[in-house]
Amino acid sequence: QVQLVESGGGLVQAGGSLRLSCAASGVTVRTSTMGWFRQAPGKEREFVSAINWLGGITDYAESVKGRFTISRDNAKNAMYLQMNSLKPEDTALYYCATTKFRITRTPDGYSDWGQGTLVTVSS
């Protein structure tokens, strides 16, 4: 059983930065694709970024490209999301997720999810 725990969320002013972390335990995720999703109040959960198990392939939503950077440390079973130049529209609950398959932007393609960490960006 995979357990994912996100951390690093908080309140930040527009233009600021945050670094989210996702710690995995229970089962190794070293060969799993890992992804970040977010859900704002009243909106659907949306894809943010994903990284394959070797870390050589990444994908970003257009809305965060150039501002967010995804990375992973397989030795620590961890994944990170460096978020720079944050905007109020980035405000959401951020989730990490894993899948045994290739990168996908569809939430249904991921089998394990964390509980989320809240990011609030003030204007």
Side-chain angles (χ1 to χ4, degrees):
Q1 183 177 357
V2 176
Q3 184 176 15
L4 303 173
V5 179
E6 302 93 337
S7 62
L11 174 63
V12 63
Q13 288 188 331
S17 298
L18 284 174
R19 187 186 191 225
L20 305 185
S21 298
C22 174
S25 61
V27 176
T28 180
V29 294
R30 293 172 188 168
T31 57
S32 298
T33 294
M34 300 185 75
W36 288 100
F37 289 78
R38 66 187 183 187
Q39 188 166 18
K43 294 189 176 181
E44 298 281 323
R45 188 169 299 189
E46 65 173 359
F47 171 78
V48 175
S49 183
I51 186 167
N52 74 329
W53 72 279
L54 282 175
I57 299 176
T58 58
D59 189 23
Y60 295 93
E62 286 300 315
S63 59
V64 307
K65 198 171 291 185
R67 300 188 296 122
F68 291 9
T69 302
I70 192 171
S71 62
R72 65 187 296 166
D73 185 337
N74 287 341
K76 296 181 179 179
N77 266 2
M79 176 178 66
Y80 309 97
L81 185 69
Q82 178 65 44
M83 305 187 297
N84 298 329
S85 302
L86 283 161
K87 304 175 181 180
E89 51 263 44
D90 295 317
T91 295
L93 192 59
Y94 283 71
Y95 299 90
C96 69
T98 66
T99 175
K100 292 297 185 184
F101 304 105
R102 62 190 300 174
I103 287 177
T104 175
R105 296 186 174 192
T106 305
D108 287 347
Y110 293 78
S111 55
D112 299 286
W113 293 83
Q115 293 300 306
T117 185
L118 182 63
V119 172
T120 304
V121 184
S122 63
S123 57

